[in-house]
Amino acid sequence: MPVGVLGDIHGDFASVRQIMSRHPDVRSWLAIGDLADDEGRYEDVDAPIYWIKGNNENFDAIASGHLPPSLHFISNGTLVEIDGLRVAALGGTFAPTWYETPAAALPHPVKRTVKATTLADKRRHFVREEVNRCKAFEDVDVLLTHEAPRPYRVRGGKGPDAGKTAINEVLIGMHPRFHFFGHHHELSDRRLAGVRSIGLDLVSRSYGLLDNDTLEFELVTW
């Protein structure tokens, strides 16, 4: 029985529904963050999505738990079981000025627009305490992060290294069987620290299927 894997959604729940309609046998889907649209809205879909935070979310809705029934948020530094897979979460982006802050103390001021509020909300970052919890997990099948590990060069390998060392630290400490990330809206597939690390594109262009028995992964482009 496969588990689906989705890249950044950014409010494109129409593509999510099309993907789900192609695979009615898939009972659960994983997502690597950035589900909300530009107004911070989420929509219900036809199968459960278990997701981590990106940097573009409605963090007040996440904190309140007022989300559509099919969306199940996985908090940073937690390990959950989904259809027999042990899945660890480290969502959000890296910000050196906030990295040593306790997660509960990350500020989230309210601005005049939804977009401005999201940009000012420091809950979009992950912090050291969450990284340390993830590094201690054992026997993990899937690590979900929003950020990429190093090295990760954008624009077809010609741009600066956009990867984050903290992600590499988790890969080394945890050594999951699979690592999925997004954020950069590009496909990539490589091995780092002995871990298969797969970067996912937008849901309008691709998605993945991970067999929870054989741990074989299939990338589907459309």
Side-chain angles (χ1 to χ4, degrees), residues 2-204:
V3 172
V5 189
L6 303 172
D8 291 27
I9 294 173
H10 289 290
D12 187 6
F13 292 99
S15 288
V16 173
R17 293 187 187 94
Q18 289 183 54
I19 291 169
M20 289 180 172
S21 70
R22 293 180 170 191
H23 302 281
D25 58 322
V26 176
R27 295 184 302 184
S28 302
W29 295 80
L30 309 177
I32 45 69
D34 280 358
L35 268 67
D37 66 12
D38 288 342
E39 297 301 316
R41 294 173 297 208
Y42 299 94
E43 296 181 17
D44 204 20
V45 291
D46 301 323
I49 296 178
Y50 297 86
W51 57 292
I52 62 171
K53 69 180 178 182
N55 56 306
N56 296 287
E57 305 286 3
N58 184 333
F59 296 101
D60 287 332
I62 291 172
S64 71
H66 295 157
L67 296 165
S70 59
L71 303 186
H72 305 276
F73 181 70
I74 311 175
S75 300
N76 276 4
T78 61
L79 179 63
V80 299
E81 186 168 314
I82 300 167
D83 283 352
L85 295 175
R86 286 167 59 83
V87 179
L90 186 64
T93 50
F94 173 75
T97 53
W98 296 104
Y99 188 57
E100 303 297 339
T101 306
L106 290 171
H108 41 96
V110 177
K111 300 294 184 180
R112 302 180 80 178
T113 67
V114 171
K115 189 67 173 178
T117 297
T118 298
L119 292 173
D121 198 323
K122 305 309 178 187
R123 291 176 294 183
R124 71 184 189 274
H125 304 307
F126 62 80
V127 297
R128 184 183 294 278
E129 67 179 13
E130 297 167 334
V131 169
N132 287 341
R133 285 203 298 271
C134 284
K135 287 163 63 175
F137 291 148
E138 298 179 346
D139 194 27
V140 175
D141 295 307
V142 175
L143 168 65
L144 300 177
T145 72
H146 194 61
E147 289 272 31
R150 301 187 68 180
Y152 187 85
R153 300 195 178 276
V154 295
R155 300 195 295 274
K158 298 179 181 179
D161 186 356
K164 307 304 176 187
T165 301
I167 306 300
N168 297 71
E169 293 175 359
V170 174
L171 291 179
I172 293 168
M174 178 190 295
H175 202 77
R177 294 168 179 84
F178 282 89
H179 169 226
F180 297 104
F181 67 93
H183 191 42
H184 299 289
H185 308 167
E186 294 180 345
L187 289 175
S188 65
D189 190 345
R190 56 197 175 141
R191 294 194 76 85
L192 291 171
V195 177
R196 189 173 178 187
S197 179
I198 299 169
L200 296 167
D201 202 344
L202 293 167
V203 293
S204 59

